[in-house]
Amino acid sequence: MVNRLLREKLERETQAKTRRHFIKSCAQGMGGLALSSIFMGCDPLQKPKAIAQNSFTERDLNPLATLAPHYGPKVKSVIYLHMAGAPSQLEMFDYKPQLQKYHGQDCPQSLLEGKKFAFIKGTPKLMGPQAEFKQEGESGNWVSNFLPHFKKVVDEVAFLKAVHTDQFNHGPAQLFMHTGSPRLGRPSIGAWATYGLGSENQNLPGFVVLTSGGNTPDAGKSVWGSGFLPSVYQGVQCRSKGDPVLYIEDPDGISRNLKKSTIDAINKINKEEYAKYADPEILARINQYEMAYRMQIAVPEVMNINNEPEHIKQMYGVEPGKESFANNCLLARKLVEDGVRFVQLFDWGWDTHGNVREGSIDLGLRNKCREIDRPMTALIMDLKQRGLLEDTLIVWGGEFGRTPMQENRGNKEMAYKGRDHHGDAFTMWMAGGGIKKGASQGATDDIGFSGIEGRVSVHDVHATILHLLGFNHEEFTFDFQGRPFRLTDVEGEIIKEILA
């Protein structure tokens, strides 16, 4: 055994120092090296610098160490509720009585010319709202009867009624909504937040992801990925049933002390490797080993909803032992209460085309609203009664909206009532610290097809979130491939109309 270990050590050292092995192991040989230099994957003029092991900064050894933002933040944490599949704003928040008058009539050609839709063909018919609306609270904002609980907190939120996006397919639109780009490779907004601010609880990840609805978003885990940022800033997906994190328990016969000694030995080697190669991913690996060790104690406690009072469970409508949006909302409150910086909830099943009963506007959407109505209302109320709402930003929305026309996939009448994807205008809302209570920004035309005032983009939404976290979105950058990148790319304006 000793001889084998010595041979392996000698082989690894030889591989690290031998030029022939280095060239051979390149993905495309010398061609790969040439191509990487053309695209500036790394600076060809920069020479590796040896780093003394005693020169590590706190940020080197702990990438999640707390940092100060550009200026005084309005909030410490963000809870982002994403309804994957795109909920219909016309049945939830954007009341259009005129659309009801035109129900069943052919859609005007002027609205269809030059437009791209995912499934609509030919001339679809307009479809009136499939829900009843009332003005609620002192603000008088419209809320449908699909959300009977939400009307209790309508005065706490600020609506954005004319959000728009240029993406009309789920995957690219979800990437755009969470990374600022419809293409793979950019960091998610949660990764940006933890990169810029670190985490207030060193025993938990700075960015936690919870999913419900029986599936993950169409764009996959890239919507909570770290992109070109060090991987330590990517979202950590936890589960609301079973073990919150896989392999959270030590194997039989492995004591806590033995685990710690093993991690210390591994990280000693990692520090030596970093001193040689200065690869930031090695630092991320060191931190992840340490974080995993600490999470074994902290995660089972914070992810346990059974120790919550019975009246809190009833307020959220939790279902212990199941994966549900209600469970995740309660967990989100517990996580931000324990100092987690960014909590992302993805709820799948909002794609209401009308091709199946579960995906219908009048039946399937009503059921989905019933699943989220009580929990998201309870989340706002619970944070407020604990004094946490003023330090927390809640964001709600999908990747785009739905058309005022009934979907006619293949230019044929659908089995159920449904609406196609629509990026010209949809509704989002925010609540919490720094948000003007009861505000409503923007408006759509008489049938909800396009925004006619107060239009805001996805980049504007991102700029506003970063502003509330204390960042100047134009100066918050990361150098990659020879230029500084930012979440808002080269666009984005703070939506001042909804700020307190």
Side-chain angles (χ1 to χ4, degrees):
M1 177 66 73
V2 173
N3 289 335
R4 190 183 74 178
L5 290 174
L6 288 173
R7 285 197 303 272
E8 289 180 359
K9 180 178 183 296
L10 181 61
E11 181 180 354
R12 288 291 302 276
E13 290 179 349
T14 302
Q15 289 176 355
K17 297 176 181 178
T18 304
R19 183 175 58 184
R20 180 178 298 173
H21 182 273
F22 169 72
I23 295 174
K24 181 181 178 182
S25 64
C26 289
Q28 299 295 332
M30 292 301 295
L33 287 174
L35 190 63
S36 67
S37 66
I38 291 173
F39 288 105
M40 295 297 290
C42 55
D43 188 347
L45 301 178
Q46 182 179 356
K47 297 180 180 180
K49 296 179 181 179
I51 299 175
Q53 288 199 53
N54 59 0
S55 65
F56 291 113
T57 67
E58 181 185 2
R59 187 69 167 175
D60 288 334
L61 295 177
N62 182 11
L64 292 176
T66 304
L67 295 178
H70 296 149
Y71 44 76
K74 300 295 184 181
V75 296
K76 297 178 180 178
S77 303
V78 176
I79 299 175
Y80 196 128
L81 312 176
H82 182 89
M83 309 297 105
S88 172
Q89 73 283 4
L90 297 169
E91 273 70 36
M92 298 177 74
F93 303 115
D94 200 13
Y95 180 44
K96 295 299 169 185
Q98 290 293 323
L99 184 58
Q100 188 62 51
K101 295 181 181 180
Y102 301 132
H103 178 81
Q105 297 183 22
D106 287 348
C107 180
Q109 289 299 314
S110 60
L111 297 181
L112 302 175
E113 292 173 356
K115 297 290 184 181
K116 292 183 179 180
F117 299 97
F119 295 101
I120 282 179
K121 301 294 182 183
T123 304
K125 296 186 181 298
L126 295 170
M127 182 169 65
Q130 300 300 301
E132 298 176 1
F133 282 79
K134 286 184 180 180
Q135 289 179 286
E136 303 290 354
E138 295 181 5
S139 62
N141 282 320
W142 294 96
V143 179
S144 85
N145 63 338
F146 283 10
L147 301 167
H149 292 278
F150 187 74
K151 64 183 181 182
K152 302 173 187 176
V153 295
V154 69
D155 287 333
E156 295 289 340
V157 310
F159 289 98
L160 298 172
K161 293 291 188 68
V163 187
H164 67 89
T165 176
D166 58 5
Q167 302 297 315
F168 61 89
N169 285 322
H170 295 294
Q174 289 168 2
L175 280 172
F176 188 29
M177 184 60 69
H178 295 286
T179 72
S181 171
R183 290 167 290 279
L184 295 168
R186 297 287 187 90
S188 61
I189 186 170
W192 277 108
T194 50
Y195 162 68
L197 294 174
S199 178
E200 291 191 335
N201 189 332
Q202 298 301 303
N203 296 326
L204 292 170
F207 179 16
V208 174
V209 178
L210 301 166
T211 62
S212 57
N215 211 335
T216 53
D218 300 75
K221 297 182 179 181
S222 295
V223 290
W224 62 79
S226 58
F228 46 70
L229 294 176
S231 58
V232 70
Y233 300 114
Q234 70 185 356
V236 175
Q237 185 179 2
C238 293
R239 305 186 302 170
S240 56
K241 68 174 183 178
D243 287 340
V245 180
L246 294 176
Y247 312 114
I248 194 72
E249 299 289 341
D250 288 326
D252 292 340
I254 301 297
S255 67
R256 188 79 176 156
N257 290 337
L258 179 58
K259 173 65 72 68
K260 179 59 175 172
S261 298
T262 303
I263 291 174
D264 288 343
I266 293 172
N267 282 345
K268 183 175 183 295
I269 297 172
N270 282 330
K271 290 177 183 178
E272 292 175 355
E273 291 291 296
Y274 181 73
K276 289 180 182 179
Y277 304 111
D279 183 354
E281 280 301 301
I282 297 175
L283 292 179
R285 191 183 310 146
I286 293 171
N287 181 263
Q288 286 163 339
Y289 271 114
E290 295 285 353
M291 176 63 71
Y293 178 75
R294 297 192 298 268
M295 281 173 61
Q296 286 187 298
I297 299 298
V299 166
E301 174 61 27
V302 73
M303 297 294 289
N304 180 15
I305 62 175
N306 293 323
N307 58 8
E308 289 290 312
E310 194 61 34
H311 72 277
I312 294 294
K313 296 179 187 177
Q314 292 179 5
M315 183 168 72
Y316 282 88
V318 300
E319 303 173 87
K322 295 183 179 180
E323 178 189 81
S324 72
F325 183 77
N327 291 9
N328 290 348
C329 281
L330 178 51
L331 289 172
R333 187 225 81 201
K334 288 170 65 70
L335 287 165
V336 298
E337 193 173 29
D338 274 24
V340 173
R341 182 71 64 191
F342 204 100
V343 183
Q344 181 82 64
L345 272 61
F346 288 97
D347 186 61
W348 188 84
W350 292 86
D351 198 15
T352 47
H353 287 283
N355 54 325
V356 294
R357 186 182 188 281
E358 293 77 14
S360 62
I361 284 291
D362 52 342
L363 301 173
L365 179 64
R366 184 189 294 267
N367 290 334
K368 287 301 297 181
C369 286
R370 188 178 293 117
E371 291 177 10
I372 70 163
D373 181 29
R374 176 184 289 184
M376 69 182 185
T377 302
L379 177 61
I380 295 175
M381 296 172 63
D382 198 11
L383 288 171
K384 185 176 181 179
Q385 72 183 5
R386 294 169 186 270
L388 295 171
L389 188 59
E390 61 188 24
D391 292 326
T392 306
L393 173 67
I394 304 175
V395 182
W396 181 96
E399 60 266 33
F400 41 66
R402 315 303 295 198
T403 59
M405 303 86 76
Q406 183 169 357
E407 185 171 321
N408 61 341
R409 187 173 301 191
N411 205 14
K412 297 179 181 178
E413 185 176 346
M414 305 293 288
Y416 298 92
K417 294 178 180 178
R419 301 187 187 276
D420 202 356
H421 306 169
H422 192 56
D424 280 19
F426 60 103
T427 299
M428 297 181 67
W429 58 257
M430 298 184 187
I435 294 297
K436 185 184 296 182
K437 297 181 179 181
S440 183
Q441 164 66 7
T444 56
D445 57 32
D446 286 345
I447 63 171
F449 189 87
S450 297
I452 56 175
E453 63 179 62
R455 296 179 80 237
V456 298
S457 70
V458 172
H459 292 306
D460 297 335
V461 173
H462 291 164
T464 306
I465 295 173
L466 291 179
H467 168 76
L468 292 168
L469 285 169
F471 290 106
N472 181 328
H473 72 99
E474 295 180 345
E475 297 178 0
F476 185 31
T477 63
F478 185 87
D479 289 342
F480 177 66
Q481 291 187 335
R483 78 168 179 90
F485 279 80
R486 70 187 210 215
L487 174 63
T488 51
D489 199 34
V490 295
E491 301 180 45
E493 297 288 340
I494 297 169
I495 310 171
K496 297 179 181 179
E497 292 81 359
I498 66 168
L499 300 182

